[in-house]
Amino acid sequence: MTTAVPKPRRLRLRLPPRRPMPRRLMPRWRDYGRPRELVLRYLLLLFVLGITVGPLLWQFLASLKGTGEDVFGENASLLPHDPTLRAYREVFEQVPVATYIWNSLFVVVLSVTSQLLFSTTAGYMLSKPAWKGRRAVWVLLAASMMFPFESIMVSLFLSIRDLGLVDSLVGVWLPVFVGAINVLLMRGAFLAVPREIEDSAMIDGAGEWQRFRHLYLPSAWGAILVVVINTFIAAWDDFLWPLIVLRSEANMTLTLGLSRLQSSSFGYDQRVVMAGSVISIVPVLVLFFLTQRWFYKGVSAGAVKL
């Protein structure tokens, strides 16, 4: 007599009931702090915004005024009553703006190229702990930033004169072909790369140049962009050194050439001078607005470290 084998039971997996996803709540005002602190914070931000953006906005509005409107004085108003682009047309008629822009771009391209080449390589070497004297070089670079440009301006001009580079764009670029602050910035960015990643690359057979190109440079992209922006602004807005070195109008940069609008030979129209200032600021603003996202990331990523 055979006994019946009981059928195995099917195990049923009981899952917990699905809960509806909570709605994404918008942040409330009290999450940012007390109402009094919030009001003070926004008032401080508006005050800083007025100090920084106010002069630029006033220059732009003043450049749109006609000849019958006052720029300064009691009768002057902030908004132009009859906006016109006459001042911008006169800027291009009175001075060769295209030549000035080309000269400034030439100096900017040389400055950005040399700064990237020397600051990245020097910062990479300073981030390496395998050679003696590294800290001494770091201290010398940090100490060199304590001396203002005016203290070495005379010696720089004598050196440029002995090299025969007076009244040349190369003479404008040569004293600023590399900056200590950019070297230290790149050093801090390279120090943030974990040592274990470099050791893994060395085990895989990567050489010094391959590690520098494929490992360190991509990780320091934010700091590299900060170097580019700072160098562009410094080279584009420089006025004192081109004023000392350059002589002829054909070699003048934009900021130096537009200063001729204030001479008596052109009548010194205040609206034309404001228009020239706006023209010189536009490229810097465009570059910053296009790269501000990576600029702030690079400032935090490339902090100078001991």
Side-chain angles (χ1 to χ4, degrees), residues 3-294:
T3 57
V5 179
K7 296 182 179 180
R9 290 185 177 183
R10 295 182 179 180
L11 298 178
R12 295 181 179 180
L13 183 61
R14 294 183 179 180
L15 298 176
R18 293 183 178 180
R19 297 180 181 180
M21 294 294 293
R23 296 181 179 180
R24 188 175 182 180
L25 301 177
M26 296 295 294
R28 295 171 294 183
W29 286 101
R30 62 184 181 183
D31 295 336
Y32 295 100
R34 297 179 181 179
R36 183 178 300 178
E37 297 177 355
L38 187 63
V39 171
L40 293 176
R41 187 181 306 173
Y42 276 94
L43 288 177
L44 180 61
L45 290 176
L46 290 176
F47 177 73
V48 174
L49 180 65
I51 294 177
T52 55
V53 183
L56 300 178
L57 182 61
W58 176 76
Q59 284 185 358
F60 175 70
L61 294 176
S63 65
L64 298 178
K65 292 184 177 181
T67 55
E69 301 183 50
D70 296 332
V71 179
F72 304 100
E74 298 179 355
N75 298 326
S77 61
L78 179 62
L79 299 177
H81 300 292
D82 189 12
T84 178
L85 298 176
R86 178 194 60 85
Y88 292 91
R89 291 194 299 267
E90 292 190 6
V91 170
F92 286 90
E93 292 175 359
Q94 294 180 4
V95 294
V97 180
T99 303
Y100 298 158
I101 293 176
W102 172 258
N103 295 335
S104 296
L105 288 176
F106 181 78
V107 176
V108 165
V109 170
L110 287 180
S111 301
V112 171
T113 304
S114 62
Q115 289 281 357
L116 286 179
L117 179 62
F118 289 99
S119 62
T120 52
T121 53
Y124 176 73
M125 293 304 300
L126 287 176
S127 65
K128 294 295 181 179
W131 57 283
K132 295 182 179 180
R134 178 176 60 93
R135 189 172 183 83
V137 174
W138 185 91
V139 172
L140 290 176
L141 286 175
S144 64
M145 295 188 297
M146 301 175 60
F147 299 96
F149 175 76
E150 291 76 10
S151 62
I152 59 175
M153 186 171 55
V154 176
S155 60
L156 282 177
F157 176 75
L158 295 178
S159 301
I160 294 298
R161 187 192 62 180
D162 294 338
L163 292 174
L165 297 177
V166 176
D167 196 18
S168 66
L169 297 177
V170 177
V172 176
W173 157 74
L174 190 59
V176 291
F177 75 98
V178 66
I181 182 63
N182 293 330
V183 174
L184 298 181
L185 184 67
M186 295 306 305
R187 173 184 177 271
F190 290 147
L191 285 176
V193 178
R195 182 66 181 177
E196 293 78 8
I197 299 179
E198 185 179 9
D199 294 339
S200 300
M202 293 175 63
I203 294 174
D204 293 337
E208 193 75 30
W209 170 251
Q210 292 176 336
R211 297 196 303 271
F212 173 71
R213 181 182 177 183
H214 299 288
L215 177 61
Y216 280 90
L217 288 182
S219 64
W221 173 249
I224 291 174
L225 191 59
V226 172
V227 172
V228 171
I229 296 175
N230 290 338
T231 305
F232 181 92
I233 295 175
W236 185 269
D237 294 340
D238 192 13
F239 176 80
L240 180 60
W241 181 244
L243 178 64
I244 297 173
V245 176
L246 300 178
R247 298 288 185 270
S248 61
E249 183 179 1
N251 293 326
M252 287 186 178
T253 57
L254 183 62
T255 54
L256 181 59
L258 291 178
S259 65
R260 298 180 63 246
L261 296 173
Q262 300 182 10
S263 61
S264 58
S265 60
F266 296 118
Y268 185 33
D269 191 349
Q270 299 167 349
R271 302 158 193 82
V272 178
V273 175
M274 298 297 178
S277 301
V278 173
I279 292 174
S280 63
I281 294 172
V282 167
V284 178
L285 294 178
V286 171
L287 176 67
F288 179 74
F289 282 122
L290 291 177
T291 58
Q292 60 177 336
R293 176 182 177 183
W294 300 276

